[in-house]
Amino acid sequence: MRPEILFPLFAEPTKLDGVGPKTAPLYEKLGIAKVVDALFLPPSGVIDRRLRETVQGAVEGTVVTVRVTVGRHSAPGRRGAPYRITVSDGILDFTLVFFHAHPEYLVRILPQGEERIVSGKIEIYDGVAQMPHPDMVIDPDDGETPDGFEPIYPATAGLNQKAIVKAIRSAVTMVPDLPEWQDAAWLSKQGWPAWRDAVRALHSPESATDIEADTPARQRLAYDELLSHQLALALVRAKRRRSKGRITKGDGSLRKKVEAALPFSLTGAQKRAAEEIHGNMAESKRMLRLLQGDVGAGKTLVAFLAMLNAVEVGGQAALMAPTEILARQHLAGLESLCEIAGINIVLLTGRNKGAERETILSGIANGETSVVVGTHALFQSDVIFKDLRLAVVDEQHRFGVNQRNELAEKGAGADILVMSATPIPRTLALASYGDMDISVLDEKPPGRKPIETRMVSLARYEQVVESLRSAIAKGARAYWICPLVEESDIIDLAAAEDRARALRRALGEDVVALTHGKLKPAEKDAAMASFKAGECQVIVATTVVEVGVDVPEASIMVIEHAERFGLAQLHQLRGRVGRGSGESSCVLLYQGPLGESARARLAVLRETEDGFRIAEEDLKLRGAGDLLGIKQAGLPQMRLADLAVHTDLLEVARDDARLIVSQDAELKTARGEALRVLLYLMGRDDSIRYLGAA
Ligand code: ADP
Ligand code: MG
């Protein structure tokens, strides 16, 4: 249960100054559903309202605050003209300008001959400085002079800055003094303030640089956020590791047989990953490991060796893929290897019905079948394994922490290996997979031919189609990707349909297939299958094109409006070709003129095929929040931590969290109690139920 000390922070936003039932929904749009959310909304800018001597020398368009003597009022001479008041700051005369003014009101707040402090944006009009609609008019005799600096928050329609500032300021006054959850030595080494002071500092910037991500206050708050997240993951991980696992330590006989039959030897990275995995399986704790590697890095083979390890001790292994077509592809890849090993493999999907399904299930139940490949149908309750020791999940970035938990609960006692083809920088992998151990295949099998990558303007569409025509005549197969135009599926679909129609006209009716997100899974599979079988030579796809589908004969990838894709996604798409023995190419069709960042993205792609390097560049170019591949990888949304800036802190947070859990798994020490408050404060109530003795 949430500790009482936090209750005020979890009240409705109507408890904030100036927020009523009408405006509360607008605050929710800003992400403020509870008082506490207001604390964690960082200012996006800062206005300098320090009192200046004079308007003279001010940069046009900036906010200026000066003390003035009010001069003459001039009412508009014609309709639509503004009401003007001449004022003087002692050095310069300038004009306050009001459209649609109420003269009585202006006469009252700006009486001629009196002193006032005014603050607002300075503009130059006809060579004369003017301040249209000052933000503030203060009588120095009874008003407060403005703070030196004022935070600016991201706005939403219907809420003005003044209201947001007021609401957030009131949230800050409700902040209780909470027990310190950070390690005292670490805090003082970093020179970070206490939490309450940090919150106050965040919302009272004292200079323009005070809102940057590297101030002590901001770093502290970012670290709190990262630590709470990593702690939640570490608790999940610890809970899972407490659940009894099995010792699986095969004699290597099957693995030796298969390795000897391979026409190549394992890469160094594959050997390393295999050792890590087999080491984990030999422990009595349950394994939860991520096997990360670029498309084609050889993950499947590593996973298969782990499966053989399970089979060597008389156990079974399952491989789960996100779609039926991917499951079939895995089956096709593994069948011959299973034959070499002399073990049985079977495919189980939602399509197996009746007697056929019964036969498959009985083979799994009596242990005749050693390896089962399938879709999520594998985890239906009637699927009973004789002795499941290893579950491999081909993730294709579709599962989050919650689904992983579910899976872990279903495959009682079995070790779990998750394969992911999203190359994300190591630190970001920590953020999304902090609950897992990680093996990385950062080395590609030798002998891969580079993919020739070209940038071509859409203006040269006809030429691209011409060269496609001659390639097809020689038997080539090509993907043609149409982008996500808008959030709207309908527009995407129209664009893809138009393109398919145009290509059919140019290349022939039967040559071109079309697949997109609106099709039923079976229809999508059918389109892909006809392309895979070579019944058609071009497949037009929106980005639904199955990232893991392997068509080694495909050697051309055309990406239309490449400038609209993120780097990670372009890399994934390009990875669809270059899998066969021939030359392959990727055409980045762009719509000019290219913006600077789009140009930089495409240039990176042309330069390298190294997924990890591309991911790092993408991170630099776009910041963590925007990384498409990373969103897919289930990266948590952070409010104060910026994963592109605070990467070092992320690593520390992970180590810190694991240490805490290993020493105080029930969070019972004084620091542990304080950390519970942190978890609740950060809305990680869920993770509390994973507390438990080591
Ligand atoms: P991933 O699952 O990482 O996308 P795969 O395991 O499907 O990669 O491997 C891609 C291809 O590379 C397969 O045809 C596989 O047989 C081959 N391969 C795997 N490991 C090696 C290696 N060490 N040397 C050469 N080829 C390899
Ligand atoms: Mg694969």
Side-chain angles (χ1 to χ4, degrees):
M1 280 238 297
R2 183 180 296 141
E4 219 162 300
I5 191 168
L6 293 179
F7 286 2
L9 295 183
F10 283 83
E12 300 300 311
T14 46
K15 287 278 187 292
L16 298 170
D17 280 0
V19 183
K22 270 222 188 90
T23 46
L26 299 174
Y27 281 88
E28 258 179 63
K29 272 200 194 136
L30 281 177
I32 302 178
K34 300 275 180 233
V35 169
V36 65
D37 301 322
L39 302 178
F40 295 141
L41 182 70
S44 53
V46 54
I47 303 174
D48 181 350
R49 288 208 197 272
R50 283 176 299 178
L51 200 60
R52 296 170 51 114
E53 190 91 2
T54 171
V55 161
Q56 191 156 61
V59 178
E60 194 180 353
T62 59
V63 169
V64 167
T65 307
V66 283
R67 195 179 176 113
V68 296
T69 309
V70 182
R72 211 163 61 84
H73 285 229
S74 25
R78 57 185 169 80
R79 270 174 69 89
Y83 189 102
R84 295 169 182 277
I85 305 174
T86 310
V87 297
S88 168
D89 61 22
I91 294 174
L92 192 78
D93 287 358
F94 63 101
T95 319
L96 305 181
V97 179
F98 300 87
F99 290 88
H100 313 291
H102 297 283
E104 332 71 69
Y105 172 71
L106 292 176
V107 168
R108 183 150 45 80
I109 66 162
L110 287 157
Q112 190 165 357
E114 300 252 326
E115 302 248 302
R116 289 291 182 269
I117 292 167
V118 295
S119 180
K121 217 175 249 175
I122 284 295
E123 289 171 2
I124 309 289
Y125 186 77
D126 271 353
V128 179
Q130 62 176 38
M131 183 186 287
H133 296 270
D135 306 330
M136 296 179 171
V137 175
I138 295 164
D139 181 348
D141 288 339
D142 53 26
E144 272 176 60
T145 38
D147 292 347
F149 291 87
E150 192 179 281
I152 307 173
Y153 295 95
T156 190
L159 284 181
N160 64 34
Q161 278 299 323
K162 255 188 212 166
I164 300 175
V165 168
K166 186 171 163 191
I168 292 183
R169 203 166 272 169
S170 72
V172 173
T173 64
M174 293 159 76
V175 167
D177 197 7
L178 298 177
E180 183 56 72
W181 47 73
Q182 297 295 359
D183 179 62
W186 162 245
L187 267 193
S188 76
K189 178 164 168 263
Q190 296 297 310
W192 288 345
W195 180 73
R196 183 152 74 161
D197 297 332
V199 171
R200 286 183 187 146
L202 177 70
H203 297 288
S204 351
E206 286 173 7
S207 72
T209 52
D210 263 6
I211 59 157
E212 283 168 12
D214 58 359
T215 65
R218 181 65 179 272
Q219 285 200 33
R220 150 127 218 178
L221 296 172
Y223 190 73
D224 287 341
E225 188 172 34
L226 293 168
L227 181 65
S228 70
H229 180 247
Q230 288 297 314
L231 187 56
L233 290 174
L235 288 169
V236 173
R237 176 174 180 271
K239 159 97 195 290
R240 203 179 289 127
R241 286 172 72 87
R242 275 195 305 277
S243 69
K244 263 230 133 339
R246 324 259 309 271
I247 295 178
T248 299
K249 201 172 175 183
D251 61 5
S253 55
L254 297 179
R255 282 171 282 174
K256 269 198 209 96
K257 231 196 254 180
V258 168
E259 274 190 57
L262 289 175
F264 48 76
S265 50
L266 298 184
T267 64
Q270 282 174 316
K271 280 187 198 142
R272 221 179 312 121
E275 264 165 41
E276 288 165 347
I277 293 165
H278 302 149
N280 276 165
M281 291 176 75
E283 292 173 26
S284 63
K285 288 177 181 165
R286 287 183 79 179
M287 170 173 82
L288 181 62
R289 187 170 277 279
L290 174 71
L291 178 59
Q292 202 197 16
D294 223 338
V295 173
K299 295 180 292 295
T300 316
L301 184 60
V302 172
F304 184 67
L305 294 174
M307 294 174 158
L308 290 179
N309 183 29
V311 178
E312 280 164 7
V313 299
Q316 293 166 300
L319 169 57
M320 182 167 95
T323 65
E324 168 146 359
I325 190 164
L326 289 172
R328 279 183 194 285
Q329 187 175 300
H330 277 305
L331 179 79
L334 296 182
E335 261 174 336
S336 60
L337 296 174
C338 283
E339 204 167 304
I340 295 164
I343 61 177
N344 291 326
I345 182 170
V346 74
L347 178 73
L348 178 65
T349 72
R351 273 198 215 174
N352 302 118
K353 298 260 152 66
E356 186 194 18
R357 184 175 169 88
E358 287 309 314
T359 314
I360 295 173
L361 290 184
S362 80
I364 297 172
N366 67 25
E368 263 167 40
T369 302
S370 298
V371 176
V372 186
V373 177
T375 53
H376 57 270
L378 274 182
F379 288 93
Q380 276 157 16
S381 54
D382 62 340
V383 183
I384 296 157
F385 286 84
K386 178 157 182 262
D387 183 15
L388 181 67
R389 294 214 168 219
L390 174 68
V392 179
V393 184
D394 187 359
E395 168 151 336
Q396 308 290 2
H397 37 246
R398 263 166 233 229
F399 300 110
V401 174
N402 291 338
Q403 284 99 327
R404 292 205 288 274
N405 282 339
E406 213 169 288
L407 179 70
E409 274 155 31
K410 277 183 181 153
D415 287 324
I416 295 177
L417 181 66
V418 178
M419 299 195 287
S420 166
T422 315
I424 53 183
R426 205 187 99 75
T427 41
L428 295 188
L430 287 185
S432 41
Y433 297 102
D435 59 329
M436 311 173 89
D437 295 307
I438 302 178
S439 296
V440 179
L441 297 184
D442 50 6
E443 180 188 349
K444 280 209 180 171
R448 295 272 155 84
K449 289 211 179 106
I451 301 166
E452 194 211 322
T453 302
R454 271 175 301 153
M455 288 166 64
V456 179
S457 162
L458 252 177
R460 288 168 52 201
Y461 167 80
E462 298 294 342
Q463 272 165 272
V464 173
V465 174
E466 260 330 292
S467 33
L468 191 57
R469 188 207 310 280
S470 58
I472 284 173
K474 291 181 202 135
R477 267 183 253 171
Y479 294 95
W480 188 297
I481 308 294
C482 297
L484 274 161
V485 179
E486 312 228 331
E487 294 292 295
S488 147
D489 293 342
I490 298 166
I491 299 178
D492 293 346
L493 187 53
E497 278 173 342
D498 283 352
R499 181 55 70 223
R501 217 170 295 131
L503 288 174
R504 277 181 186 138
R505 261 200 313 273
L507 304 171
E509 202 57 36
D510 304 334
V511 174
V512 182
L514 171 67
T515 179
H516 54 74
K518 284 275 146 150
L519 293 179
K520 296 203 182 82
E523 294 172 322
K524 271 191 257 182
D525 280 2
M528 257 338 273
S530 84
F531 181 60
K532 199 170 155 81
E535 290 156 20
C536 62
Q537 286 177 278
V538 177
I539 187 157
V540 176
T542 54
T543 45
V544 299
V545 59
E546 287 296 354
V547 284
V549 172
D550 206 0
V551 183
E553 298 84 0
S555 62
I556 301 170
M557 168 63 68
V558 181
I559 305 176
E560 191 169 336
H561 283 297
E563 77 280 0
R564 293 187 188 156
F565 289 92
L567 254 182
Q569 210 177 6
L570 288 170
H571 172 67
Q572 290 282 347
L573 288 169
R574 180 173 60 179
R576 298 296 94 216
V577 297
R579 318 188 118 212
S581 47
E583 304 283 335
S584 49
S585 62
C586 174
V587 179
L588 305 172
L589 259 187
Y590 66 89
Q591 172 96 67
L594 279 180
E596 205 174 304
S597 106
R599 183 177 299 279
R601 278 207 302 279
L602 298 183
V604 170
L605 203 73
R606 224 176 24 178
E607 247 166 57
T608 180
E609 282 180 45
D610 177 343
F612 287 94
R613 225 206 99 200
I614 288 172
E616 300 276 0
E617 295 292 333
D618 204 10
L619 180 62
K620 270 188 233 149
L621 287 170
R622 300 206 297 163
D626 291 333
L627 288 185
L628 228 156
I630 291 193
K631 264 195 205 131
Q632 290 173 339
L635 196 80
Q637 290 295 312
M638 297 281 173
R639 294 187 283 193
L640 291 161
D642 178 342
L643 294 174
V645 178
H646 299 127
T647 34
D648 297 348
L649 293 182
L650 178 58
E651 299 225 25
V652 181
R654 188 188 75 149
D655 294 345
D656 200 2
R658 290 198 174 184
L659 189 68
I660 291 164
V661 171
S662 73
Q663 294 176 343
D664 183 17
E666 294 178 84
L667 298 183
K668 273 184 162 166
T669 61
R671 186 181 179 203
E673 293 286 348
L675 283 162
R676 284 177 190 238
V677 175
L678 173 67
L679 289 171
Y680 281 111
L681 178 69
M682 295 294 182
R684 305 205 179 274
D685 306 21
D686 260 10
S687 56
I688 300 287
R689 69 190 163 95
Y690 294 115
L691 295 180

